[in-house]
C-alpha cells in the first residue's frame, strides 16, 4: 500500500529511471524464517508499475545479526563481507537498490560498493522510509 502511494506521487517522466531494480537480499536462513523478502516485494510492485525489471545481482553470503539492535559503527562492521555479486555482472547498468527502511546506509553502501566494483555505471537507492 505504501509503495503504491509513493508511486502515485512519483513523476517517472521527469526522473532518470534505472535499467533494473535490485532488492536488498536476505540470507537464506532469514528468508526461510520470515517466508518472504520485503525488499523484493517492494521491488516487484514498483517494477511492475514503472515497467522496470527486477534482478538479484547480489546475494547475502554471510548470516549477520539483525541491524536494528546495532549502533551505526557496529552496523557497518556487521556487514563487511556480507554480500557478493551473483549472476551476470552489472557492467554499464544504472541500478536502483530497493529497501524498505534505510537507517545508517550501511547495507546500501555495502551493496552499492560491490555493484560498482562489478561495473555498474550508476547505483541509486530507493526506499520507503529513512530514519534519522
Amino acid at each position: 500500500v505504501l509503495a503504491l502511494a509513493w508511486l502515485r506521487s512519483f513523476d517517472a517522466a521527469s526522473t532518470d529511471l534505472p535499467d533494473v531494480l535490485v532488492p536488498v537480499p536476505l540470507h537464506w536462513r532469514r528468508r526461510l524464517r520470515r517466508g518472504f523478502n520485503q525488499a523484493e516485494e517492494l521491488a516487484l510492485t514498483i517494477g511492475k508499475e514503472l515497467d522496470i525489471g527486477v534482478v538479484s545481482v547480489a546475494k547475502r553470503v554471510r548470516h549477520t545479526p539483525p541491524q536494528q539492535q546495532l549502533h551505526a559503527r557496529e552496523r557497518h562492521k556487521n556487514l563487511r563481507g556480507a554480500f557478493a555479486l551473483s549472476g551476470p555482472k552489472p557492467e554499464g547498468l544504472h541500478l536502483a537498490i530497493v529497501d524498505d527502511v534505510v537507517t545508517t546506509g550501511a547495507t546500501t553502501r555495502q551493496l552499492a560498493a560491490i555493484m560498482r566494483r562489478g561495473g555498474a555505471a550508476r547505483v541509486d537507492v530507493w526506499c520507503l522510509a529513512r530514519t534519522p
Side-chain angles (χ1 to χ4, degrees), residues 9-103:
S9 68
F10 185 75
D11 182 8
S14 67
T15 303
D16 185 15
L17 293 176
D19 299 312
V20 293
L21 302 177
V22 180
V24 171
L26 289 178
H27 189 271
W28 67 266
R29 283 188 229 160
R30 188 159 297 135
R31 184 178 181 122
L32 183 64
R33 189 171 44 245
R34 186 180 290 165
F36 67 98
N37 177 348
Q38 71 280 7
E40 184 177 59
E41 296 298 322
L42 288 169
L44 290 169
T45 299
I46 294 166
K48 183 178 176 183
E49 291 295 316
L50 297 177
D51 196 28
I52 302 172
V54 176
V55 298
S56 296
V57 299
K59 65 181 178 177
R60 193 178 286 252
V61 295
R62 190 169 58 80
H63 185 66
T64 58
Q67 293 284 91
Q68 59 263 38
Q69 286 95 19
L70 304 175
H71 295 291
R73 193 170 300 154
E74 296 170 315
R75 287 174 183 235
H76 290 282
K77 184 178 178 184
N78 185 43
L79 290 174
R80 281 192 203 121
F83 300 105
L85 287 178
S86 65
K89 288 191 174 187
E91 290 186 26
L93 294 177
H94 173 188
L95 310 173
I97 298 169
V98 178
D99 204 358
D100 56 345
V101 178
V102 172
T103 303

